Amino acid sequence: MASRKEDPFLGSNDIKEDSEEEVKDKAREEGGAREMVLPAGNSIHRSGSRPQLDLSGAAIQGNNFEERDPTILLPNQSDDISHLALDIGGSLIKLVYFSRHEDRSNDDKRKRSIKEKLGVTNVNRRSYPILGGRLHFVKFETSKISECLDFIYSKQLHHGGMDSRLWLSEAPPNDNAIIKWTFAAINHWMLRRCEMLYMGKLSDYYQEATGGGAYKFADLFKERLGVSIEKEDEMDCLVAGANFLLKAIRHEAFTHKEGQKEFVQIDHNDLFPYLLVNIGSGVSIIKVDGDGKFQRVSGTNVGGGTYWGLGRLLTKCKSFDELLELSQRGDNRTIDMLVGDIYGGMDYSKIGLSASTIASSFGKTVSENKELEDYRPEDISLSLLRMISYNIGQISYLNALRFGLKRIFFGGFFIRGHAYTMDTISFAVQFWSKGEAQAMFLRHEGFLGALGAFMSYEKHGLDDLMVHQLVERFPMGAPYIGGRIHGPPLGDLNEKISWMEKFVQKGTEIIAPVPMSPSGTTGLGGFEVPSSKGDTLRSDASALNVGVLHLVPTLEVFPLLADPKMYEPNTIDLSDHNELEYWFTVLSEHLPDLVDKVWIHGDKAKEAVASEGGTDDAKRRGDAFARAFSAHLARLMEEPAAYGKLGLANLLELREECLREFHFVDAYRSIKQRENEASLAVLPDLLMEIDSMNEETRLLTLIEGVLAANIFDWGSRACVDLYHKGTIIEIYRMSRKKMQRPWRVDDFDIFKERMLGSKDKKPHPHKRALLFVDNSGADVILGMLPLARELLRRGTEVVLVANSLPALNDVTAMELPDIVAEAAKHCDILRGAAEAGGLLVDAVGSKDGLSSVPLMVVENGCGSPCIDLRQVSSELAAAAKDADLIILEGMGRALHTNFNARFKCDALKLAMVKNHRLAEKLIKGNIYDCVCRYEPQAAPAPA
């Protein structure tokens, strides 16, 4: 463990008596601070006292269109191995646990064939038992540890987790099961109080218990769960947790100034060294030099315990959150002596002090003839908060200055996502550093210890996890950093729907996401914000949400990005409040249409639940989805940074994830099937018409066809209205007739020269083209498929890139092979290419015996109308290695995202703009204007 230099301050997270083990530690540490260095490849100690994971025979199981993240199967491993860790503090218990994915194997010959052609194997997918699952973050009040134990038991987490259908069954005991834990703020009174509460004996017991220390919790876990608990070193866990988060979560760190959050992108290659300031009851200041390398360099006994202790004595508050709430309504000028009080309301500009600078905390109380009851508790709380926060900020900066560090991260119980606390610390660091250093905070700051304890398991698989392999999602029940998150687990979909039906409603709208709960209770879990007045939201409802981390080993960074570090997928800046409000309104107005679709088609998409009511069941789930997504929008309107950095792509993906959460896997399935059939019926005539044209006219007609067919988009209100004015073919023909150049963005002539050459330059075909397709029906069949056919005719390999999961009426990679097979019945070019690309696995070869360039289909790794190219499937990454042309089609992939993206190869971006505001803001045009943007390959980014 890391040694700690003795100093006159506690500088740790709690006041506690030394245990026997800690006495031994101190004896080993005499002689000053030593840098902690662990064996290479390990970030913290790996305990060998628990059963080890058996990786023999491990294999990645295939996935179908409903499951994006593959499961790693361990056939020789018993299911009683748990991955669960706790951080037990004086106020909160933080729990991190892992859940497995259900086995949804998909033995798809076509998929295996294409993987073989692209050279994709399972070898490069590391066989870590954790990857392919989810990490969950949950909090409980320490005084209600029985709820935490009930939660663990109901989900069978101490047995490695169980399928929800088996939660009510009795699991066999496991004498060897061990749960990792660390504790940061346990005192003996709290321990005894929790123990008696669990036993049902809590009455008016307020004297300090003695003996046994925090290890008395071991008896509770052993009796209730039949498991042993193994304590990990607190500081080891804090550092390991912070290192993992800063390296693996893209929008983990943020600054907080004057109430505004700004996320900071941390380059994991340039992370160390940094200063970690952990503010619990006391303060520990840790210099982190690398994985497993850190020193506690300083600390102070003035921390969260000081604020809570003095605040409790001076204000009679009953909880830490209540004391924080008081500070929101306080005015410290009635208590603190300011520079202006000394200098007649003037600044002391000579030394850079403004009149509002605090000269002496509580200084005015010395000269006033007042008693404690004459001062407002709100003012006292705020003055205390400022005094302690300013001093922590100053001491932290002085230590950063001492070691030449510019990066300071703050975490711990004291912060709790509280906006004013973060503002005050940030001001102190900025003031004393004269703007050269800045305070940064972590979204998961409350879970550092629990996450570090989790990582102490052998073979957890997190050490080398890359940022692009983590996807954070926010299902109903994802916790608030500052909230009281516990209650009965949601065992199945019906329980979740019932929970959603209890949301507070005002008229027909969902108000801020606060579930109904009796006064004095902790609610039903999920979206409860700490409050001292019933259902009233506290004035500082600024806590950041923590979602569920999906660990997806098959995601990679798209290798053709010109500069991945500078890549930003979102085109629209939602930090502009007007933009945010507009797009929230668009999404809200689209909800009735979307819910209507899931009502109509939900029972067909989910025939398994028809016995539970068919259409009525679909309607109930549709209502629950609408409430849930409205609650998400309300939360984000209140706090746009609640889920991390917010872009339009994030909003659209959140909607799709919310649909899937309520078991609407493909709400537009029957609509897509109907439009595919109508489009395939007219495809032969279209191809015959195209083949009759000369080369130049044909290329223009193909691009016009892509733009015209892109009008079919069920995500656009304007396009949905068009569906009432004619059939799909009638609308397509109308759109084709209106295709007149020049388009609003028109680079067709440059693209034509690259494709057809010029008088002085002969054309050479591209080697491989990646075509990112958009909607089902006419869009893909009458637009993109004929363009793909033209490229194939020119000798270019074509890879159709489609969604892994359904989103609105977008075509998926699972659906495309059947569409291609049907189209190939009427076209020799498509048939030969499909055979060569493995899409027609039962074919015996082309009729003319000639080899063809292949036409392949790969999934893109996402289930959204947009695409973030920092996280794509391994199949797409493999296909991109030999590609020299990218065609991005549709508003989601070419306009909402990637409009400004640059690539290492030629790129063509094609879309019809089907939104008034987007047309005005992006291209200064009108609705139904078209974009044909061609960009030759970008110069390589500097090393």
Side-chain angles (χ1 to χ4, degrees):
M1 72 177 269
S3 59
R4 303 162 197 167
K5 184 182 289 186
E6 296 184 17
D7 60 34
F9 300 126
L10 170 69
S12 149
N13 264 358
D14 212 276
I15 301 172
K16 56 188 178 185
E17 296 180 7
D18 290 340
S19 67
E20 180 180 349
E21 183 61 31
E22 289 169 324
V23 171
K24 292 179 182 178
D25 286 344
K26 288 184 178 179
R28 287 194 297 267
E29 293 171 359
E30 289 180 355
R34 300 189 303 270
E35 184 179 54
M36 175 179 176
V37 181
L38 294 176
N42 292 292
S43 59
I44 56 178
H45 168 68
R46 304 275 187 254
S47 169
S49 62
R50 71 184 304 283
Q52 300 300 299
L53 292 163
D54 187 348
L55 300 182
S56 61
I60 291 181
Q61 193 71 19
N63 58 307
N64 64 18
F65 75 96
E66 294 186 8
E67 184 57 56
R68 166 181 165 187
D69 309 336
T71 298
I72 297 178
L73 300 180
L74 305 177
N76 301 316
Q77 177 62 61
S78 64
D79 281 340
D80 59 8
I81 297 300
S82 66
H83 283 87
L84 164 68
L86 297 164
D87 179 359
I88 305 180
S91 176
L92 295 173
I93 296 173
K94 283 79 69 177
L95 174 101
V96 174
Y97 71 92
F98 166 73
S99 68
R100 295 174 174 86
H101 282 285
E102 293 181 12
D103 176 19
R104 294 175 180 174
S105 60
N106 177 31
D107 187 17
D108 191 325
K109 292 181 181 180
R110 287 183 294 208
K111 196 167 185 177
R112 289 202 310 269
S113 174
I114 289 175
K115 283 183 178 181
E116 290 172 3
K117 291 181 183 299
L118 296 175
V120 179
T121 67
N122 286 340
V123 175
N124 64 343
R125 303 181 186 181
R126 298 185 295 272
S127 296
Y128 294 153
I130 294 303
L131 295 182
R134 301 180 179 97
L135 280 181
H136 303 257
F137 301 84
V138 189
K139 288 195 288 188
F140 301 86
E141 290 179 17
T142 305
S143 62
K144 295 174 176 153
I145 190 173
S146 59
E147 294 184 7
C148 176
L149 295 173
D150 290 342
F151 181 86
I152 293 172
Y153 182 80
S154 66
K155 284 186 173 291
Q156 293 292 293
L157 299 180
H158 55 309
H159 294 297
M162 296 180 66
D163 186 276
S164 61
R165 295 183 297 273
L166 305 178
W167 283 0
L168 299 180
S169 65
E170 193 72 24
N174 176 19
D175 294 334
N176 295 321
I178 291 176
I179 293 177
K180 299 287 188 176
W181 78 330
T182 183
F183 60 93
I186 293 293
N187 58 47
H188 291 171
W189 174 84
M190 176 61 74
L191 170 72
R192 182 63 178 158
R193 183 171 181 265
C194 294
E195 183 182 42
M196 296 188 72
L197 175 65
Y198 169 73
M199 296 297 191
K201 301 175 182 177
L202 184 61
S203 56
D204 294 326
Y205 184 89
Y206 286 105
Q207 67 183 42
E208 182 172 312
T210 59
Y215 289 98
K216 285 190 176 182
F217 273 114
D219 295 335
L220 302 183
F221 279 81
K222 192 69 175 178
E223 179 182 341
R224 180 69 174 87
L225 304 176
V227 298
S228 301
I229 56 176
E230 183 176 288
K231 182 183 180 298
E232 298 294 329
D233 180 79
E234 174 195 346
M235 208 159 291
D236 287 1
C237 293
L238 288 172
V239 173
N243 283 348
F244 168 74
L245 291 169
L246 289 169
K247 288 191 292 184
I249 309 296
R250 180 168 285 112
H251 296 136
E252 177 64 28
F254 63 94
T255 59
H256 200 289
K257 299 175 183 177
E258 298 181 355
Q260 299 298 314
K261 298 179 183 69
E262 184 174 338
F263 288 93
V264 180
Q265 182 64 50
I266 304 296
D267 183 354
H268 71 273
N269 293 316
D270 189 33
L271 173 60
F272 306 111
Y274 67 84
L275 207 64
L276 177 62
V277 182
N278 192 63
I279 313 172
S281 294
V283 181
S284 284
I285 300 177
I286 308 165
K287 178 174 176 282
V288 183
D289 292 303
D291 288 324
K293 298 169 64 178
F294 64 87
Q295 289 178 279
R296 181 183 180 278
V297 295
S298 186
T300 171
N301 59 350
V302 179
T306 312
Y307 177 60
W308 174 214
L310 286 175
R312 187 168 178 268
L313 290 173
L314 296 174
T315 69
K316 308 304 180 185
C317 282
K318 301 300 182 184
S319 73
F320 192 92
D321 276 328
E322 186 181 354
L323 187 62
L324 284 177
E325 286 183 51
L326 281 179
S327 71
Q328 295 297 307
R329 303 187 294 274
D331 183 355
N332 68 301
R333 294 174 298 179
T334 64
I335 293 178
D336 294 340
M337 181 179 291
L338 309 181
V339 168
D341 296 325
I342 302 173
Y343 296 100
M346 304 294 289
D347 297 340
Y348 192 174
S349 54
K350 184 176 180 180
I351 59 174
L353 297 177
S354 68
S356 61
T357 301
I358 298 175
S360 175
S361 293
F362 287 81
K364 279 186 180 175
T365 63
V366 175
S367 58
E368 294 178 335
N369 187 23
K370 292 182 180 180
E371 299 298 324
L372 177 61
E373 56 269 19
D374 296 325
Y375 292 97
R376 295 173 65 235
E378 293 89 342
D379 301 339
I380 293 173
S381 177
L382 180 57
S383 183
L384 267 177
L385 182 66
R386 280 196 157 187
M387 178 182 74
I388 292 168
S389 298
Y390 280 150
N391 276 273
I392 292 172
Q394 181 181 11
I395 291 170
S396 300
Y397 167 67
L398 291 175
N399 276 281
L401 183 66
R402 172 186 168 197
F403 293 102
L405 304 177
K406 296 291 181 68
R407 197 174 284 147
I408 312 172
F409 297 101
F410 291 85
F413 164 78
F414 177 66
I415 295 175
R416 302 185 72 174
H418 188 255
Y420 198 85
T421 304
M422 293 186 287
D423 267 355
T424 308
I425 291 174
S426 297
F427 178 84
V429 172
Q430 183 172 2
F431 177 84
W432 290 107
S433 71
K434 297 182 179 179
E436 292 186 4
Q438 61 180 352
M440 287 183 282
F441 306 91
L442 305 175
R443 288 179 56 228
H444 291 78
E445 56 88 15
F447 291 94
L448 297 186
L451 184 57
F454 181 92
M455 294 179 69
S456 71
Y457 280 106
E458 289 281 352
K459 300 181 178 69
H460 54 74
L462 298 181
D463 279 336
D464 299 318
L465 195 67
M466 303 297 288
V467 64
H468 57 266
Q469 294 171 318
L470 276 169
V471 180
E472 189 172 20
R473 295 183 178 131
F474 297 88
M476 288 290 103
Y480 271 68
I481 281 288
R484 295 167 288 180
I485 312 304
H486 37 279
L490 302 174
D492 56 28
L493 181 63
N494 279 330
E495 287 187 26
K496 180 170 288 191
I497 293 173
S498 297
W499 180 68
M500 289 305 308
E501 289 172 345
K502 293 176 182 178
F503 261 56
V504 179
Q505 292 193 55
K506 183 178 181 181
T508 58
E509 296 182 359
I510 305 293
I511 66 169
V514 182
M516 291 169 55
S517 57
S519 177
T521 72
T522 57
L524 298 172
F527 282 93
E528 183 177 6
V529 178
S531 167
S532 61
K533 292 186 178 180
D535 288 332
T536 303
L537 286 173
R538 79 183 200 195
S539 56
D540 177 44
S542 63
L544 300 176
N545 287 55
V546 174
V548 176
L549 290 181
H550 291 237
L551 313 179
V552 191
T554 55
L555 291 181
E556 300 184 26
V557 178
F558 189 57
L560 292 178
L561 286 173
D563 187 353
K565 290 183 180 179
M566 297 300 295
Y567 170 76
E568 168 55 49
N570 287 288
T571 305
I572 303 299
D573 182 10
L574 292 188
S575 63
D576 181 333
H577 184 76
N578 291 330
E579 286 296 317
L580 183 69
E581 190 171 12
Y582 171 78
W583 289 105
F584 273 30
T585 301
V586 169
L587 289 172
S588 297
E589 290 177 348
H590 185 239
L591 263 181
D593 283 336
L594 190 54
V595 173
D596 181 59
K597 292 295 177 298
V598 299
W599 287 354
I600 295 171
H601 306 288
D603 56 325
K604 295 179 181 178
K606 281 287 179 183
E607 295 177 4
V609 300
S611 60
E612 298 179 15
T615 302
D616 290 338
D617 170 75
K619 184 179 186 303
R620 187 166 176 251
R621 288 186 286 117
D623 286 338
F625 154 73
R627 290 178 182 229
F629 189 59
S630 295
H632 281 302
L633 293 179
R635 173 66 178 133
L636 289 169
M637 197 66 197
E638 172 195 39
E639 176 53 79
Y643 297 171
K645 187 176 180 181
L646 182 64
L648 186 55
N650 308 107
L651 279 178
L652 295 175
E653 184 167 15
L654 180 63
R655 179 184 61 190
E656 300 305 319
E657 287 297 334
C658 197
L659 274 169
R660 285 188 276 271
E661 185 179 357
F662 290 94
H663 289 197
F664 293 111
V665 177
D666 192 353
Y668 288 80
R669 180 182 297 178
S670 61
I671 291 176
K672 292 193 293 183
Q673 290 173 344
R674 186 169 64 248
E675 293 186 354
N676 286 341
E677 290 171 1
S679 300
L680 285 167
V682 300
L683 178 63
D685 290 339
L686 175 63
L687 296 182
M688 189 178 301
E689 177 188 347
I690 289 172
D691 288 343
S692 67
M693 301 174 181
N694 62 46
E695 194 174 48
E696 184 172 332
T697 304
R698 186 167 69 237
L699 184 61
L700 176 59
T701 300
L702 289 166
I703 299 300
E704 286 178 341
V706 171
L707 295 172
N710 192 233
I711 197 171
F712 298 98
D713 188 345
W714 280 91
S716 166
R717 164 66 68 178
C719 294
V720 171
D721 292 340
L722 282 177
Y723 281 90
H724 302 296
K725 298 179 181 179
T727 66
I728 183 173
I729 299 306
E730 290 171 343
I731 297 170
Y732 170 71
R733 287 171 178 162
M734 174 194 70
S735 182
R736 279 285 300 270
K737 289 178 181 178
K738 292 184 178 181
M739 283 291 117
Q740 294 185 5
R741 296 184 63 200
W743 302 309
R744 192 62 189 175
V745 177
D746 194 338
D747 294 334
F748 173 77
D749 291 334
I750 305 174
F751 177 67
K752 181 183 69 173
E753 184 175 339
R754 170 61 183 86
M755 292 291 291
L756 306 182
S758 59
K759 293 181 179 179
D760 303 325
K761 188 176 182 180
K762 290 185 178 181
H764 62 276
H766 291 93
K767 181 178 180 181
R768 176 181 290 172
L770 304 180
L771 274 61
F772 289 76
V773 296
D774 188 8
N775 304 298
S776 291
D779 196 3
V780 66
I781 295 170
L782 305 182
M784 291 296 279
L785 208 53
L787 179 60
R789 177 175 175 265
E790 180 68 18
L791 291 167
L792 291 166
R793 173 186 281 175
R794 294 175 176 277
T796 300
E797 295 182 2
V798 173
V799 180
L800 300 177
V801 184
N803 269 13
S804 300
L805 295 172
L808 293 173
N809 64 318
D810 290 1
V811 69
T812 67
M814 181 64 68
E815 297 161 344
L816 263 179
D818 290 335
I819 292 173
V820 171
E822 191 64 31
K825 293 178 180 178
H826 309 286
C827 175
D828 291 341
I829 296 174
L830 289 176
R831 182 172 62 254
E835 290 175 5
L839 295 180
L840 306 180
V841 292
D842 296 324
V844 295
S846 58
K847 294 179 179 179
D848 56 14
L850 299 176
S851 60
S852 299
V853 290
L855 171 64
M856 295 172 279
V857 172
V858 300
E859 58 182 282
N860 58 19
C862 77
S864 166
C866 303
I867 186 168
D868 183 342
L869 294 173
R870 294 171 299 193
Q871 294 180 306
V872 303
S873 71
S874 56
E875 296 173 25
L876 175 53
K881 291 177 182 177
D882 293 323
D884 50 0
L885 174 63
I886 295 171
I887 300 179
L888 290 162
E889 184 242 354
M891 283 209 309
R893 294 158 188 81
L895 300 184
H896 289 320
T897 54
N898 302 305
F899 186 68
N900 299 318
R902 297 304 307 272
F903 299 95
K904 296 177 182 177
C905 65
D906 296 346
L908 181 64
K909 300 168 185 178
L910 300 170
M912 176 184 285
V913 189
K914 292 153 291 197
N915 176 276
H916 285 286
R917 191 180 187 93
L918 187 66
E920 293 170 359
K921 298 283 288 189
L922 194 60
I923 59 173
K924 294 181 173 58
N926 299 307
I927 193 168
Y928 303 129
D929 277 348
C930 292
V931 172
C932 175
R933 187 175 188 178
Y934 176 69
E935 299 160 335
Q937 68 180 68

